[in-house]
């Protein structure tokens, strides 16, 4: 057996990619330590955590740019690759696999094609991705004219300047992905925690949906002002710690789920306006799976989201966030119940080489 490369001396092969509105390091699973503790210690070193500036690593001093995708051969017959998402905390010595990431997911298909894990077809190539964090499968359709990945195109998503090749993502069996297969783990569209009406929902991402005005907010506050509101964040965190066990997630003190999502009436023609916490800092946008869960919450009569939402006639739900809107596609049956979900993302390869610990 050949000796594993020394990450300090030799570095590790990786690709630095933008996926959706996030950025991260993409690795082949075989290039990282098998032991989770050793792997996490290495990733903290590579990102430069814990340090608010991540000055001694490649992290961008923001949760959105301190992410990792571990991609390898499939462990189930209905997938082309396995994908494990890891959130590397910025100012804590913590690496979490407690959630998935639909933005980083957008780069998994291109990475798998470019690094030979999946053969490319002409024109476009579907890549079925087993999301190990949740156990579900997503299909990403990657543009591959002439059998090569292209990132050039005109598809636009809010939070990313310019255009790129579209990467449609279609999700299967999202309901209760992390809460035991039940979309509403308490069985209720509305629960009251600390006097605040909440929807505890998991349709791809466990989130707690609350009206912004329940906290004396308009819902249009800036990310910076919400991050500076320590009393507000303490109140939201108290609700989150109670919601975790109610959702079957146990003690969530050290977990990144559930996400806390404040909703208010839309102001830019969308379905609903959101401010999402991940979980202790306000998101510059909103995560893909969190957007799907939030959109689904809008369809639940009597829920906090439904009270402020403007539902579309069709299946396109624009979920407004601090820097624009995330488009979610929801399939609903004749009764209005959500039966499937998808979204459009883009990705771009930024750098390929070796990263040093």
């Amino acid at each position: 057996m050949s000796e594993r490369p020394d990450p300090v001396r030799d570095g590790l092969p990786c690709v630095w990619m933008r996926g959706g509105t996030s950025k991260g390091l993409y690795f082949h699973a075989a290039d990282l330590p098998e032991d989770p503790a050793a792997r996490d210690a290495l990733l903290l070193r590579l990102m430069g955590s814990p340090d608010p500036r991540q000055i001694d690593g490649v992290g961008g001093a923001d949760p959105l740019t301190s992410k990792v995708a571990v991609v390898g051969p499939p462990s189930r017959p209905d997938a082309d690759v396995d994908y494990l998402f890891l959130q590397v905390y910025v100012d804590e010595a913590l690496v979490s696999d407690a959630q998935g990431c639909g933005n980083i997911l957008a780069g998994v298909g291109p990475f798998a094609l470019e690094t030979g894990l999946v053969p490319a077809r002409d024109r476009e190539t579907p890549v079925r991705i087993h999301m190990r964090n949740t156990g579900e499968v997503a299909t990403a359709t990657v543009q591959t004219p002439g059998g090569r990945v292209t990132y050039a195109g005109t598809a636009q998503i809010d939070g990313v300047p310019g255009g790129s090749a579209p990467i449609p993502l279609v999700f299967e069996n999202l309901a209760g992905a992390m809460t035991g297969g039940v979309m509403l783990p308490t069985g209720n569209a509305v629960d009251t925690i600390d006097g605040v009406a909440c929807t505890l929902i998991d349709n791809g991402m466990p989130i707690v949906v609350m009206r912004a005005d329940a906290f004396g907010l308009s819902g249009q506050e800036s990310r910076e002002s919400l991050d500076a509101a320590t009393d507000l964040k303490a109140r939201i965190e108290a609700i989150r710690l109670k919601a975790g066990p109610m959702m079957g997630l146990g003690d969530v003190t050290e977990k990144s789920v559930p996400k806390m999502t404040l909703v208010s009436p839309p102001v830019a023609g969308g379905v609903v306006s959101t401010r999402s916490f991940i979980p202790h800092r306000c998101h510059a946008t909103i995560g893909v799976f969190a957007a799907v869960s939030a959109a689904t919450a809008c369809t639940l009569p009597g829920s906090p989201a439904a009270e402020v939402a403007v539902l579309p006639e069709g299946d396109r739900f624009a979920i407004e966030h601090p820097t624009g809107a995330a488009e979610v596609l929801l399939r609903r049956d004749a009764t209005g119940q959500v039966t499937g979900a998808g979204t459009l993302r883009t990705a771009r390869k930024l750098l390929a080489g070796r990263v040093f610990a």
Side-chain angles (χ1 to χ4, degrees), residues 110-121:
F111 173 81
L113 291 164
E114 292 231 52
T115 58
L117 287 171
V118 177
R121 305 177 186 177

Side-chain angles (χ1 to χ4, degrees), residues 162-246:
S164 302
I167 302 177
L169 300 172
V170 177
F171 308 117
E172 301 174 9
N173 303 317
L174 285 181
M178 298 180 66
T179 55
V182 181
M183 186 178 74
L184 296 173
T186 68
N188 305 317
V190 185
D191 290 285
T192 301
I193 304 176
D194 291 352
V196 177
C198 306
T199 296
L200 281 54
I201 185 170
D202 175 12
N203 197 30
M205 173 71 69
I207 68 172
V208 178
V209 182
M210 307 164 290
R211 287 181 58 149
D213 57 12
F215 297 88
L217 303 171
S218 70
Q220 298 307 310
E221 288 78 8
S222 70
R223 180 192 190 195
E224 292 74 18
S225 67
L226 293 174
D227 275 342
T230 54
D231 290 345
L232 169 69
K233 292 202 296 183
R235 187 179 174 193
I236 291 175
E237 178 65 4
I239 294 174
R240 193 180 81 89
L241 294 178
K242 294 177 182 178
M246 294 172 66

Side-chain angles (χ1 to χ4, degrees), residues 128-173:
R128 293 178 56 82
I129 302 164
H130 170 213
M131 301 177 290
R132 289 180 52 200
N133 302 78
T134 63
E136 307 303 334
V137 173
T139 299
T141 302
V142 183
Q143 303 303 301
T144 51
R148 294 189 61 180
V149 175
T150 181
Y151 300 95
T154 59
Q156 294 185 320
I157 58 174
D158 285 334
V160 177
S164 302
I167 302 177
L169 300 172
V170 177
F171 308 117
E172 301 174 9
N173 303 317

